Amino acid sequence: MYLKSIHLENFRNYENLKVEFDPKPGIFILMGQNAQGKTNFLESIFMLSFPRSFRAKQPKELVRFNQNYYTAKGEFASSHRDFSLKIGYQVKPVKRSYQQNDIQIDLKEYLTNFQTVIFTPEDIEIISGSPSERRRLIDTILSQTDREYFEQIVGFSRILKQRNALLKRIRMKKANVSELKFWNDQLINHIEEITKKRKEFFEIIQAKVTEIYQEISEDHSENIEIEYSYSGKSREGHYDSYRDILESLLVDEQQREVEVGHTVIGSHRDDFTINLNKKSVAQYCSRGEKRSFMLALKIAEISYLEEITSHKPILLLDDVFSELDKNRRNKLLELTKNYQTFITTVEKSYFADYDGEICIFSVEENGILGYNK
């Protein structure tokens, strides 16, 4: 899958920008000083694959100052079809738009049309940071390949919000605990499906991360384990089904949930940890080792997306070369030869020894100019 062109209107600092690319593997370097819009440009490509920003908390943050809307449109080419995707957001009145080939569609239908892998310097914090960041990583990957998974996540969030509101009313003596049964059943339905799909993902990704990390570290004796933690895991083997486990947990935790006024069981509490030789990477590894693991995770993500979809994802690398040593940079550059890759940087020297095709774009505050290596 390759991006042929992108057209932005009122997106971040871009008032009206259209850029064309060769739809083939190769590196497109976005070079410019800080605060010129390099990351904004990568963000727009990412959002065409998954319309949720990896930076902004609210969609209105993406709208150019003093404007009421933004749009981003991409033209794509693959081995069997050419197509376009377009997203838009209006501030007042609030309106979201998703289009394929200029036809309005819903978000579920919009998803999975093409995939991206974004790698930023902040990604290293995923390993040792908040569990919510690790869940977000999983959700972003799976939602790009599985529309049903995305629907389960959306449904779970909706049920969770309504159940939490009920728990607060029960705590305030304005509702009865018997009302929880309906919401418990709905909650369990979503947890079962989400946990199943996340388990399947980790079963595939475990072997990939192990192989890739051993290659990066040049030590094939390293023992790598990804441990997925989810509600009821400790009770497996003591009940006939996972549903029975969840039902028992909700019964056992009911009083505590009423007291605190929110749900303590469910997919919103899931997490995963990476262990190296039985020790937590987050707790015991150096920053350099964490960089290697994050790089291994990202390369494994690329492999996973390609395996599931049979298409090559587009790679988006946001100033990551400044965070990697020469060995890791070279391994990442070698990988990019097989993919259409967009890289932001302020330093051209990182690519001096690269023998593949490079097209450099000079990024200035309101425009992008392209020229060859």
Side-chain angles (χ1 to χ4, degrees):
M1 192 72 66
Y2 304 108
L3 179 64
K4 295 196 300 181
S5 69
I6 190 166
H7 185 195
L8 306 178
E9 286 188 57
N10 298 325
F11 186 92
R12 294 283 194 181
N13 64 306
Y14 295 110
E15 181 179 5
N16 192 337
L17 175 72
K18 186 167 185 178
V19 187
E20 296 182 350
F21 311 98
D22 287 334
K24 61 182 182 180
I27 290 179
F28 298 86
I29 297 176
L30 304 168
M31 186 171 295
Q33 296 303 309
N34 292 329
Q36 297 301 302
K38 301 188 300 297
T39 301
N40 296 346
F41 191 76
L42 290 194
E43 183 179 31
S44 68
I45 300 174
F46 174 81
M47 290 191 62
L48 284 169
S49 69
F50 185 66
R52 297 288 185 273
S53 172
F54 61 88
R55 303 161 71 204
K57 293 183 179 180
Q58 300 292 333
K60 64 182 179 182
E61 296 174 34
L62 304 172
V63 178
R64 182 176 166 85
F65 183 67
N66 278 341
Q67 299 298 317
N68 191 45
Y69 75 94
Y70 80 77
T71 62
K73 182 176 182 178
E75 301 279 349
F76 299 88
S78 69
S79 57
H80 64 285
R81 65 173 179 141
D82 288 3
F83 64 97
S84 69
L85 294 172
K86 184 177 182 179
I87 59 171
Y89 177 79
Q90 181 175 279
V91 179
K92 292 182 180 180
V94 173
K95 182 181 179 181
R96 291 174 172 84
S97 174
Y98 309 100
Q99 294 180 15
Q100 182 177 9
N101 296 328
D102 298 320
I103 298 172
Q104 195 76 22
I105 56 177
D106 62 24
L107 178 56
K108 179 184 176 181
E109 188 178 354
Y110 181 92
L111 293 171
T112 76
N113 280 289
F114 93 103
Q115 292 73 38
T116 59
V117 174
I118 180 77
F119 191 7
T120 74
E122 292 75 25
D123 284 341
I124 191 174
E125 303 304 328
I126 290 175
I127 291 176
S128 54
S130 165
S132 63
E133 292 299 314
R134 290 186 284 278
R135 288 192 297 271
R136 180 174 179 171
L137 173 65
I138 303 168
D139 290 344
T140 300
I141 297 170
L142 292 180
S143 294
Q144 288 193 77
T145 61
D146 189 339
R147 293 174 179 173
E148 296 303 322
Y149 178 84
F150 177 77
E151 284 229 316
Q152 289 292 337
I153 290 294
V154 171
F156 174 80
S157 298
R158 184 177 62 250
I159 297 299
L160 186 67
K161 183 177 180 180
Q162 292 168 320
R163 188 175 185 272
N164 286 345
L166 175 58
L167 286 167
K168 288 182 176 68
R169 292 200 303 274
I170 294 172
R171 185 178 61 183
M172 297 168 64
K173 311 297 184 185
K174 294 182 178 181
N176 193 285
V177 291
S178 62
E179 296 179 49
L180 281 171
K181 186 181 186 313
F182 171 80
W183 298 109
N184 286 356
D185 290 340
Q186 297 297 311
L187 192 75
I188 288 171
N189 290 340
H190 288 294
I191 295 172
E192 280 189 299
E193 289 302 314
I194 292 169
T195 304
K196 175 185 174 184
K197 290 178 181 293
R198 287 177 176 175
K199 278 184 176 181
E200 291 170 351
F201 167 75
F202 281 113
E203 286 172 2
I204 296 172
I205 213 76
Q206 164 75 62
K208 294 181 183 296
V209 171
T210 298
E211 180 182 353
I212 294 164
Y213 181 81
Q214 289 176 342
E215 182 180 341
I216 292 172
S217 66
E218 299 179 343
D219 186 349
H220 291 268
S221 67
E222 303 274 34
N223 178 32
I224 294 96
E225 178 188 16
I226 300 178
E227 185 176 353
Y228 171 40
S229 302
Y230 51 90
S231 294
K233 184 177 182 179
S234 63
R235 299 191 181 194
E236 288 183 334
H238 302 286
Y239 291 81
D240 293 335
S241 68
Y242 186 49
R243 187 176 192 88
D244 289 341
I245 291 174
L246 293 173
E247 288 176 349
S248 71
L249 276 172
L250 288 172
V251 169
D252 293 347
E253 297 290 350
Q254 180 175 290
Q255 182 176 345
R256 182 160 73 100
E257 287 188 325
V258 171
E259 290 174 354
V260 298
H262 62 257
T263 304
V264 301
I265 301 298
S267 305
H268 62 307
R269 294 298 184 94
D270 286 6
D271 195 7
F272 72 89
T273 55
I274 303 175
N275 299 318
L276 174 63
N277 299 325
K278 304 297 183 181
K279 291 185 177 182
S280 167
V281 170
Q283 295 181 18
Y284 297 102
C285 285
S286 68
R287 189 168 179 83
E289 288 172 318
K290 289 177 184 177
R291 287 194 187 102
S292 291
F293 270 106
M294 200 62 234
L295 180 58
L297 267 175
K298 286 297 176 178
I299 296 174
E301 179 183 344
I302 294 166
S303 175
Y304 173 84
L305 291 174
E306 189 170 357
E307 179 180 316
I308 297 298
T309 66
S310 300
H311 293 293
K312 292 182 182 297
I314 293 173
L315 310 189
L316 308 172
L317 311 179
D318 186 24
D319 197 28
V320 296
F321 286 87
S322 60
E323 289 286 320
L324 302 175
D325 59 25
K326 186 175 182 179
N327 178 53
R328 296 184 183 97
R329 285 200 300 267
N330 289 340
K331 288 185 182 297
L332 187 54
L333 278 172
E334 187 64 29
L335 173 74
T336 63
K337 289 182 178 180
N338 300 315
Y339 299 87
Q340 189 181 35
T341 305
F342 295 86
I343 302 173
T344 67
T345 186
V346 296
E347 182 55 68
K348 186 180 176 181
S349 63
Y350 294 140
F351 313 96
D353 298 328
Y354 182 72
D355 59 1
E357 186 170 340
I358 288 179
C359 185
I360 298 176
F361 289 84
S362 176
V363 181
E364 299 176 358
E365 187 172 0
N366 291 309
I368 296 179
L369 301 174
Y371 57 93
N372 290 325
K373 181 177 179 181

